Amino acid sequence: VSRPVPKPGSSLRLTLVAIHPGRSPQSVPLAAAFLAAAVTAAFAEAVTVTILDLYTDQSAEECARLVRETQPDLAGFSVYLWNRSLCCAVAGILKRETPPLTLFCGGPEATADQQQLLAEAPWDFLIHGDGETPLVAAVRLLLGGREPAAAAGVATLPAGLLQSNPATPLKELDELPSPLLSGVLEPSRYAGMLWQISRGCSFNCDFCFDAGGSRQVRRFSVQRLEEELRWLVQQRVSQVFVLDSTFNSDKARAVAILRLIRKIAPAIHFHFEVRSEFLDREQANLFASITCSLQIGLQSGSSGVLQSVGRRFNRADFVSKVNLLNEAGAIFGFDLIYGLPGDSLAGFRASLDFALGLMPNHLDIFPLALLPGTKLAARAAELQLVHLPAPPYTLLASPAFPAAELAIAGRLAEACDIFYSRGKAVSWFLTLLAPLQLPPSELLLRFAAYLGDKRGAADALDDSAIFALQTGFIATLYAAPGAKRLLPLALDLVTYNHHYAAALMAVPPQPLSKKGLARLRMAELQPQLAPSARLADFSYDILKLLEVESGDLKQMAKLLSPAASLAVIYPHGGEIRTETLHPAYGRLLERLDGRRSVAAVATELGMPLADAVEFVTFALGEGIVVLPGNNQ
Ligand code: SF4
């Protein structure tokens, strides 16, 4: 097969393929963009680079057709756990149908599992480690009509024998052209943006790729990050996923970056991964002062289990650091893994109880995956960890965690995701548990049983469907004689927080000025309830309930008497407001539909027109109702 050597005046066409696990704000081809920026900087017009976004729900045939449509001479795939088999299938089709096309792969799976991945598909070469310098070297060889196999950082499999050239280490990450500043990414095509601020990890957890064995962390300079931050603001990016597996391991640098964010990009939502042991009050306050959420890799609540995979864990220190976040009002979540060596169903439930007792905003739970190239995968047989041989390499059974119990843990994980994380239960979860004297994992196990066949496709459940499941389940939980009298109070708390969270996420309408309101002929207007405003019925006076809310349902029940109320909950001026309404005004709001006039609805309800006009004037000023065309 002849290699592509562009004719004088034409250019080599390189397509970099990113196959994403789904369509989400994190589905950004950042690795491809780093490569594209490096190749473009090295060769300018001599190489035409295309970045192609594909998704794992597309067939191999469709992916291959879309790659071919870019008419590449050279095509590279970023291979991860979730796309390995699809990448290999696409490479097989491309090589069969377009033999002169040169194919290569890179990414974490390529680095960790070179021989096996090269054997799995007709790759011409594989790039391991940092991909930019090896790819530039390989393209230079190709442009000269030579084989790329000689490039540093490139591996091939001639006659089934691995030939892997050591990579030339990058001295400084800043040597790499920025994938953001170089313009190779078009941010308006993506719902979010990835922002890599370091590479590597100084920890060495046995189950993880990121440590890469060297425990070396390299960081982009704060000066470069500041330029990228300004670019993110200019490009109106709304949310950024910070790629640094231990953002706060260098405390001074973390504080400097957080201050920059507060100054330059206060409107962008950032997601960070942090280590609890490095948290302090200053960081907690800074995290709370910007728009962000933190993810902390707890993995297990058992120090014995964590020790067995190379992690140290001081439970008391963890609790005190998380308390700093709670005191500051920072938003955070934990990762948990079930099935680590020594873990069992009882151990996982204890981890779940420990984690939820610390009031995280969300909990992301995964089964153990034995990733090729990690220390744990190498010890799998010795530890009798039976796992899928192919991606996602999930644990199937271990001596302490038989398959049937792993299945129960999986159901618990799903129940936690729906009921707690997506159900935004953090503000009331422990309050509801206390009178029932149930540990969190027991409640979730019962919710898993309640879900049964009600849930349909778990991924497709929207906020309203989850709210209906939560309230239905809570009604069954509180059906017991001792708890029954607390049910209305429990449901009021859940209902209020559901609507509050929805109002918080909603975009408020443009407020009308007093002058603007005064000019309107109110009785003739045809307003409607704003999409950002929520009307809700309660069994108690919701404002009094909020005043006495203490985390203790029994105590609250002593202080309050049932008194039905109707409230509207809505965003206004950067806060969420709650107004209780006379039922007549509630009916007025329900009937205002954007088609009938205020006067007509007032007549229907038998309400004096002056009262209706006064209320609608107030509601328009607050953004509770909007005029059609001004409801954003
Ligand atoms: S799990 Fe986190 S801390 Fe441990 S090696 Fe991986 S990235 Fe580093």
Side-chain angles (χ1 to χ4, degrees):
V1 173
S2 60
R3 296 277 174 224
V5 181
K7 297 191 187 81
S10 68
S11 75
L12 181 86
R13 297 182 65 87
L14 164 64
T15 297
L16 295 165
V17 184
I19 306 186
H20 305 290
R23 290 158 181 81
S24 82
Q26 294 184 65
S27 300
V28 177
L30 191 75
F34 264 106
L35 297 175
V39 169
T40 307
F43 302 106
E45 276 90 51
V47 182
T48 303
V49 186
T50 304
I51 295 176
L52 183 62
D53 289 298
L54 300 173
Y55 300 90
T56 46
D57 62 2
Q58 291 174 289
S59 68
E61 288 71 23
E62 185 184 3
C63 293
R65 177 177 61 74
L66 292 167
V67 174
R68 266 200 313 272
E69 280 178 11
T70 64
Q71 302 182 332
D73 303 304
L74 175 63
F77 292 70
S78 300
V79 183
Y80 298 89
L81 186 66
W82 60 79
N83 66 16
R84 178 170 172 156
S85 19
L86 185 55
C87 286
C88 289
V90 178
I93 296 171
L94 287 171
K95 192 50 103 179
R96 213 169 42 245
E97 298 183 353
T98 327
L101 171 59
T102 303
L103 295 169
F104 70 96
C105 58
E109 292 262 328
T111 302
D113 198 19
Q114 299 176 31
Q115 175 139 11
Q116 186 58 33
L117 184 56
L118 278 166
E120 264 171 49
W123 306 111
D124 292 284
F125 63 97
L126 170 153
I127 287 174
H128 54 89
D130 297 314
E132 296 85 354
T133 312
L135 179 59
V136 167
V139 169
R140 187 164 284 123
L141 288 169
L142 282 168
L143 287 170
R146 294 164 58 204
E147 287 293 327
V154 160
T156 49
L157 201 62
L161 287 177
L162 182 68
Q163 183 190 316
S164 179
N165 307 330
T168 318
L170 275 173
K171 282 194 210 80
E172 294 289 339
L173 280 190
D174 276 8
E175 287 171 20
L176 300 174
S178 164
L180 308 186
L181 304 175
S182 60
V184 296
L185 272 182
E186 175 43 65
S188 62
R189 291 189 57 205
Y190 305 102
M193 189 48 63
L194 306 182
W195 188 32
Q196 189 176 59
I197 66 171
S198 78
R199 287 185 183 179
C201 178
S202 56
F203 293 87
N204 212 355
C205 310
D206 291 358
F207 54 83
C208 177
F209 271 148
D210 277 23
S214 68
R215 301 180 73 159
Q216 207 196 10
V217 184
R218 293 155 304 147
R219 298 184 165 97
F220 289 101
S221 69
V222 174
Q223 191 188 356
R224 167 160 161 163
L225 297 181
E226 181 171 349
E227 284 174 47
E228 292 186 336
L229 210 43
R230 291 188 192 283
W231 180 90
L232 291 165
V233 175
Q234 270 166 16
Q235 302 295 325
R236 299 173 187 277
V237 171
S238 61
Q239 59 174 325
V240 171
F241 297 84
V242 179
L243 302 187
D244 182 338
S245 29
T246 54
F247 170 72
N248 62 336
S249 60
D250 178 338
K251 288 189 191 183
R253 174 182 154 92
V255 164
I257 294 171
L258 291 173
R259 287 198 178 129
L260 271 180
I261 288 173
R262 194 170 60 181
K263 187 170 127 207
I264 298 172
I268 298 179
H269 190 286
F270 287 84
H271 301 261
F272 297 97
E273 291 175 79
V274 299
R275 291 282 300 208
S276 63
E277 53 267 61
F278 303 120
L279 281 170
D280 57 25
R281 196 172 291 281
E282 182 184 23
Q283 288 173 48
N285 290 337
L286 276 167
F287 281 124
S289 74
I290 63 171
T291 315
C292 76
S293 63
L294 316 183
Q295 195 68 12
I296 302 175
L298 169 61
Q299 317 307 3
S300 168
S302 155
S303 44
V305 165
L306 290 174
Q307 243 169 31
S308 77
V309 287
R311 288 171 72 97
R312 261 179 294 167
F313 180 58
N314 179 332
R315 204 172 155 108
D317 182 67
F318 188 86
V319 171
S320 76
K321 298 299 171 52
V322 170
N323 284 344
L324 289 178
L325 295 176
N326 274 325
E327 281 160 27
I331 292 174
F332 64 91
F334 301 140
D335 287 333
L336 274 184
I337 297 176
Y338 59 91
L340 288 167
D343 196 17
S344 60
L345 182 58
F348 170 58
R349 287 186 60 171
S351 295
L352 205 50
D353 294 340
F354 171 65
L356 290 171
L358 296 173
M359 300 177 68
N361 291 76
H362 56 271
L363 204 50
D364 292 339
I365 305 173
F366 308 93
L368 176 65
L370 283 298
L371 305 176
T374 58
K375 281 192 203 160
L376 196 56
R379 290 173 54 215
E382 171 205 330
L383 296 167
Q384 299 176 54
L385 304 177
V386 183
H387 62 92
L388 290 175
Y393 312 110
T394 316
L395 180 75
L396 298 173
S398 78
F401 223 141
E405 295 193 351
L406 281 169
I408 296 173
R411 287 200 290 280
L412 262 175
E414 183 189 58
C416 184
D417 182 50
I418 295 173
F419 189 85
Y420 187 87
S421 299
R422 289 161 61 196
K424 301 180 184 75
V426 61
S427 54
W428 48 261
F429 186 72
L430 296 179
T431 307
L432 256 65
L433 271 176
L436 301 168
Q437 298 188 319
L438 289 177
S441 61
E442 180 58 34
L443 178 137
L444 292 174
L445 211 51
R446 293 187 191 181
F447 181 66
Y450 174 82
L451 269 179
D453 52 10
K454 281 188 204 65
R455 63 179 173 67
D459 288 348
L461 291 171
D462 63 11
D463 286 353
S464 309
I466 290 175
F467 175 60
L469 284 170
Q470 285 173 319
T471 47
F473 172 62
I474 290 164
T476 66
L477 268 187
Y478 274 80
K484 205 166 183 172
R485 69 187 176 91
L486 298 175
L487 176 63
L489 203 46
L491 288 178
D492 274 9
L493 264 187
V494 176
T495 303
Y496 180 75
N497 282 288
H498 168 71
H499 291 299
Y500 184 95
L504 198 62
M505 300 300 290
V507 180
Q510 292 290 342
L512 284 172
S513 67
K514 276 193 180 156
K515 268 191 189 166
L517 278 170
R519 277 200 293 270
L520 296 171
R521 296 157 73 94
M522 206 56 74
E524 293 162 26
L525 295 179
Q526 298 164 339
Q528 63 190 33
L529 190 68
S532 53
R534 321 273 301 197
L535 269 179
D537 287 304
F538 298 95
S539 301
Y540 284 78
D541 180 327
I542 191 63
L543 293 181
K544 284 196 183 142
L545 188 156
L546 295 175
E547 260 171 43
V548 303
E549 190 179 350
S550 65
D552 183 340
L553 274 189
K554 286 184 180 167
Q555 180 66 18
M556 289 160 70
K558 276 188 198 151
L559 296 171
L560 296 167
S561 305
S565 68
L566 169 72
V568 59
I569 302 152
Y570 58 98
H572 180 96
E575 61 178 14
I576 303 302
R577 292 189 173 172
T578 304
E579 294 283 349
T580 48
L581 302 174
H582 187 281
Y585 293 127
R587 285 196 295 278
L588 178 67
L589 283 179
E590 276 164 2
R591 294 210 187 178
L592 290 174
D593 57 5
R595 291 191 298 272
R596 283 177 295 177
S597 70
V598 173
V601 174
T603 308
E604 262 175 52
L605 294 171
M607 179 184 280
L609 182 58
D611 289 359
V613 163
E614 187 185 359
F615 178 74
V616 171
T617 307
F618 159 77
L620 265 174
E622 286 289 291
I624 296 170
V625 296
V626 289
L627 299 172
N630 183 35
N631 61 3
Q632 302 198 36

Tab-separated table of all heavy atoms in Angstrom, residues 363-394:
chain	number	residue	atom	x	y	z
A	363	LEU	N	-24.115	11.930	44.054
A	363	LEU	CA	-23.228	10.797	44.288
A	363	LEU	C	-23.136	10.035	42.970
A	363	LEU	O	-24.154	9.640	42.420
A	363	LEU	CB	-23.873	9.928	45.370
A	363	LEU	CG	-23.018	9.011	46.215
A	363	LEU	CD1	-21.837	9.740	46.808
A	363	LEU	CD2	-23.863	8.428	47.337
A	364	ASP	N	-21.923	9.879	42.449
A	364	ASP	CA	-21.744	9.112	41.207
A	364	ASP	C	-21.143	7.762	41.580
A	364	ASP	O	-20.048	7.704	42.145
A	364	ASP	CB	-20.822	9.868	40.235
A	364	ASP	CG	-21.491	11.133	39.714
A	364	ASP	OD1	-22.729	11.205	39.775
A	364	ASP	OD2	-20.790	12.047	39.275
A	365	ILE	N	-21.862	6.695	41.254
A	365	ILE	CA	-21.456	5.354	41.715
A	365	ILE	C	-21.142	4.474	40.508
A	365	ILE	O	-21.933	4.414	39.558
A	365	ILE	CB	-22.590	4.715	42.546
A	365	ILE	CG1	-22.970	5.657	43.698
A	365	ILE	CG2	-22.171	3.369	43.084
A	365	ILE	CD1	-24.184	5.211	44.495
A	366	PHE	N	-20.006	3.811	40.561
A	366	PHE	CA	-19.574	2.971	39.434
A	366	PHE	C	-19.203	1.575	39.947
A	366	PHE	O	-18.650	1.456	41.033
A	366	PHE	CB	-18.313	3.547	38.772
A	366	PHE	CG	-18.449	4.990	38.398
A	366	PHE	CD1	-18.029	5.990	39.268
A	366	PHE	CD2	-18.997	5.364	37.183
A	366	PHE	CE1	-18.156	7.334	38.937
A	366	PHE	CE2	-19.118	6.695	36.840
A	366	PHE	CZ	-18.698	7.680	37.716
A	367	PRO	N	-19.427	0.550	39.102
A	367	PRO	CA	-18.850	-0.755	39.453
A	367	PRO	C	-17.353	-0.716	39.147
A	367	PRO	O	-16.915	0.055	38.288
A	367	PRO	CB	-19.573	-1.715	38.500
A	367	PRO	CG	-19.984	-0.877	37.325
A	367	PRO	CD	-20.178	0.533	37.844
A	368	LEU	N	-16.583	-1.527	39.826
A	368	LEU	CA	-15.144	-1.579	39.546
A	368	LEU	C	-14.911	-2.024	38.102
A	368	LEU	O	-15.552	-2.955	37.614
A	368	LEU	CB	-14.464	-2.572	40.508
A	368	LEU	CG	-12.976	-2.799	40.268
A	368	LEU	CD1	-12.173	-1.526	40.515
A	368	LEU	CD2	-12.443	-3.923	41.155
A	369	ALA	N	-13.992	-1.339	37.429
A	369	ALA	CA	-13.566	-1.761	36.083
A	369	ALA	C	-12.073	-2.067	36.157
A	369	ALA	O	-11.305	-1.288	36.728
A	369	ALA	CB	-13.832	-0.648	35.077
A	370	LEU	N	-11.699	-3.222	35.626
A	370	LEU	CA	-10.289	-3.632	35.657
A	370	LEU	C	-9.641	-3.168	34.360
A	370	LEU	O	-9.686	-3.863	33.336
A	370	LEU	CB	-10.180	-5.158	35.793
A	370	LEU	CG	-10.424	-5.800	37.166
A	370	LEU	CD1	-9.405	-5.302	38.195
A	370	LEU	CD2	-11.822	-5.610	37.691
A	371	LEU	N	-9.101	-1.962	34.371
A	371	LEU	CA	-8.611	-1.356	33.135
A	371	LEU	C	-7.254	-1.924	32.763
A	371	LEU	O	-6.346	-1.976	33.607
A	371	LEU	CB	-8.494	0.167	33.320
A	371	LEU	CG	-9.763	0.878	33.792
A	371	LEU	CD1	-9.507	2.354	34.023
A	371	LEU	CD2	-10.869	0.696	32.765
A	372	PRO	N	-7.100	-2.333	31.497
A	372	PRO	CA	-5.807	-2.895	31.095
A	372	PRO	C	-4.692	-1.883	31.330
A	372	PRO	O	-4.873	-0.688	31.122
A	372	PRO	CB	-5.972	-3.168	29.592
A	372	PRO	CG	-7.273	-2.615	29.192
A	372	PRO	CD	-8.052	-2.221	30.400
A	373	GLY	N	-3.561	-2.374	31.780
A	373	GLY	CA	-2.438	-1.461	32.005
A	373	GLY	C	-2.375	-0.951	33.432
A	373	GLY	O	-1.379	-0.369	33.840
A	374	THR	N	-3.440	-1.182	34.218
A	374	THR	CA	-3.400	-0.731	35.617
A	374	THR	C	-2.864	-1.871	36.498
A	374	THR	O	-2.919	-3.050	36.123
A	374	THR	CB	-4.802	-0.335	36.126
A	374	THR	OG1	-5.671	-1.466	35.998
A	374	THR	CG2	-5.377	0.822	35.327
A	375	LYS	N	-2.353	-1.483	37.671
A	375	LYS	CA	-1.806	-2.490	38.595
A	375	LYS	C	-2.874	-3.493	39.006
A	375	LYS	O	-2.604	-4.672	39.160
A	375	LYS	CB	-1.300	-1.785	39.865
A	375	LYS	CG	0.045	-1.136	39.716
A	375	LYS	CD	0.532	-0.764	41.110
A	375	LYS	CE	1.547	0.354	41.007
A	375	LYS	NZ	1.705	1.078	42.252
A	376	LEU	N	-4.095	-2.985	39.183
A	376	LEU	CA	-5.152	-3.869	39.661
A	376	LEU	C	-5.493	-4.923	38.594
A	376	LEU	O	-5.717	-6.094	38.935
A	376	LEU	CB	-6.398	-3.056	40.032
A	376	LEU	CG	-7.408	-3.783	40.891
A	376	LEU	CD1	-6.781	-4.310	42.182
A	376	LEU	CD2	-8.589	-2.887	41.229
A	377	ALA	N	-5.503	-4.512	37.321
A	377	ALA	CA	-5.795	-5.487	36.259
A	377	ALA	C	-4.708	-6.567	36.251
A	377	ALA	O	-5.002	-7.755	36.052
A	377	ALA	CB	-5.873	-4.783	34.906
A	378	ALA	N	-3.468	-6.172	36.502
A	378	ALA	CA	-2.383	-7.151	36.495
A	378	ALA	C	-2.536	-8.147	37.651
A	378	ALA	O	-2.090	-9.291	37.559
A	378	ALA	CB	-1.040	-6.425	36.593
A	379	ARG	N	-3.185	-7.715	38.736
A	379	ARG	CA	-3.336	-8.602	39.909
A	379	ARG	C	-4.709	-9.276	39.952
A	379	ARG	O	-5.061	-9.928	40.940
A	379	ARG	CB	-3.147	-7.783	41.190
A	379	ARG	CG	-1.706	-7.328	41.405
A	379	ARG	CD	-1.623	-6.382	42.601
A	379	ARG	NE	-2.194	-6.957	43.810
A	379	ARG	CZ	-2.865	-6.262	44.745
A	379	ARG	NH1	-3.063	-4.967	44.585
A	379	ARG	NH2	-3.336	-6.859	45.816
A	380	ALA	N	-5.505	-9.087	38.896
A	380	ALA	CA	-6.894	-9.569	38.925
A	380	ALA	C	-6.981	-11.076	39.197
A	380	ALA	O	-7.777	-11.511	40.042
A	380	ALA	CB	-7.599	-9.219	37.626
A	381	ALA	N	-6.136	-11.848	38.521
A	381	ALA	CA	-6.225	-13.303	38.692
A	381	ALA	C	-5.837	-13.683	40.114
A	381	ALA	O	-6.537	-14.468	40.776
A	381	ALA	CB	-5.319	-13.992	37.675
A	382	GLU	N	-4.762	-13.082	40.595
A	382	GLU	CA	-4.295	-13.388	41.964
A	382	GLU	C	-5.379	-13.060	43.003
A	382	GLU	O	-5.589	-13.797	43.961
A	382	GLU	CB	-3.034	-12.536	42.191
A	382	GLU	CG	-2.471	-12.513	43.588
A	382	GLU	CD	-1.672	-11.214	43.815
A	382	GLU	OE1	-1.101	-10.669	42.846
A	382	GLU	OE2	-1.655	-10.759	44.951
A	383	LEU	N	-6.103	-11.967	42.755
A	383	LEU	CA	-7.144	-11.551	43.708
A	383	LEU	C	-8.503	-12.198	43.412
A	383	LEU	O	-9.491	-11.892	44.063
A	383	LEU	CB	-7.303	-10.020	43.673
A	383	LEU	CG	-6.089	-9.217	44.129
A	383	LEU	CD1	-6.224	-7.744	43.749
A	383	LEU	CD2	-5.915	-9.351	45.639
A	384	GLN	N	-8.520	-13.052	42.400
A	384	GLN	CA	-9.760	-13.739	41.964
A	384	GLN	C	-10.858	-12.743	41.612
A	384	GLN	O	-12.015	-12.889	42.003
A	384	GLN	CB	-10.241	-14.692	43.047
A	384	GLN	CG	-9.238	-15.787	43.381
A	384	GLN	CD	-9.725	-16.637	44.533
A	384	GLN	OE1	-10.824	-17.173	44.499
A	384	GLN	NE2	-8.901	-16.762	45.550
A	385	LEU	N	-10.466	-11.701	40.879
A	385	LEU	CA	-11.445	-10.719	40.409
A	385	LEU	C	-11.847	-11.134	38.994
A	385	LEU	O	-11.067	-11.021	38.060
A	385	LEU	CB	-10.840	-9.311	40.394
A	385	LEU	CG	-10.255	-8.812	41.717
A	385	LEU	CD1	-9.620	-7.442	41.546
A	385	LEU	CD2	-11.350	-8.762	42.792
A	386	VAL	N	-13.056	-11.648	38.871
A	386	VAL	CA	-13.534	-12.086	37.560
A	386	VAL	C	-14.163	-10.871	36.888
A	386	VAL	O	-14.995	-10.182	37.477
A	386	VAL	CB	-14.610	-13.195	37.717
A	386	VAL	CG1	-15.049	-13.708	36.351
A	386	VAL	CG2	-14.077	-14.318	38.586
A	387	HIS	N	-13.737	-10.595	35.643
A	387	HIS	CA	-14.246	-9.377	35.001
A	387	HIS	C	-14.429	-9.581	33.513
A	387	HIS	O	-13.901	-10.543	32.929
A	387	HIS	CB	-13.292	-8.204	35.265
A	387	HIS	CG	-11.910	-8.403	34.697
A	387	HIS	ND1	-11.553	-7.979	33.442
A	387	HIS	CD2	-10.810	-9.002	35.218
A	387	HIS	CE1	-10.291	-8.290	33.217
A	387	HIS	NE2	-9.818	-8.910	34.263
A	388	LEU	N	-15.168	-8.662	32.890
A	388	LEU	CA	-15.349	-8.727	31.437
A	388	LEU	C	-13.977	-8.587	30.779
A	388	LEU	O	-13.205	-7.703	31.163
A	388	LEU	CB	-16.240	-7.575	30.958
A	388	LEU	CG	-17.724	-7.612	31.321
A	388	LEU	CD1	-18.412	-6.318	30.871
A	388	LEU	CD2	-18.396	-8.814	30.659
A	389	PRO	N	-13.695	-9.415	29.779
A	389	PRO	CA	-12.367	-9.335	29.168
A	389	PRO	C	-12.229	-8.134	28.229
A	389	PRO	O	-11.132	-7.759	27.843
A	389	PRO	CB	-12.271	-10.647	28.383
A	389	PRO	CG	-13.690	-11.031	28.113
A	389	PRO	CD	-14.514	-10.500	29.237
A	390	ALA	N	-13.360	-7.563	27.836
A	390	ALA	CA	-13.352	-6.451	26.869
A	390	ALA	C	-13.994	-5.237	27.536
A	390	ALA	O	-14.624	-5.360	28.601
A	390	ALA	CB	-14.134	-6.875	25.629
A	391	PRO	N	-13.873	-4.040	26.908
A	391	PRO	CA	-14.493	-2.856	27.508
A	391	PRO	C	-15.961	-3.127	27.824
A	391	PRO	O	-16.633	-3.780	27.029
A	391	PRO	CB	-14.365	-1.781	26.418
A	391	PRO	CG	-13.228	-2.234	25.573
A	391	PRO	CD	-13.224	-3.734	25.631
A	392	PRO	N	-16.513	-2.681	28.929
A	392	PRO	CA	-15.892	-1.795	29.932
A	392	PRO	C	-15.151	-2.524	31.050
A	392	PRO	O	-14.922	-1.912	32.084
A	392	PRO	CB	-17.079	-1.013	30.468
A	392	PRO	CG	-18.245	-1.947	30.343
A	392	PRO	CD	-17.974	-2.831	29.161
A	393	TYR	N	-14.754	-3.774	30.884
A	393	TYR	CA	-13.913	-4.519	31.840
A	393	TYR	C	-14.524	-4.603	33.238
A	393	TYR	O	-13.817	-4.655	34.249
A	393	TYR	CB	-12.510	-3.877	31.961
A	393	TYR	CG	-11.849	-3.557	30.648
A	393	TYR	CD1	-11.672	-2.236	30.235
A	393	TYR	CD2	-11.390	-4.571	29.807
A	393	TYR	CE1	-11.082	-1.931	29.022
A	393	TYR	CE2	-10.780	-4.277	28.592
A	393	TYR	CZ	-10.641	-2.955	28.207
A	393	TYR	OH	-10.039	-2.663	27.009
A	394	THR	N	-15.847	-4.586	33.308
A	394	THR	CA	-16.546	-4.530	34.600
A	394	THR	C	-16.325	-5.803	35.420
A	394	THR	O	-16.313	-6.909	34.873
A	394	THR	CB	-18.062	-4.380	34.329
A	394	THR	OG1	-18.223	-3.421	33.315
A	394	THR	CG2	-18.816	-3.929	35.573
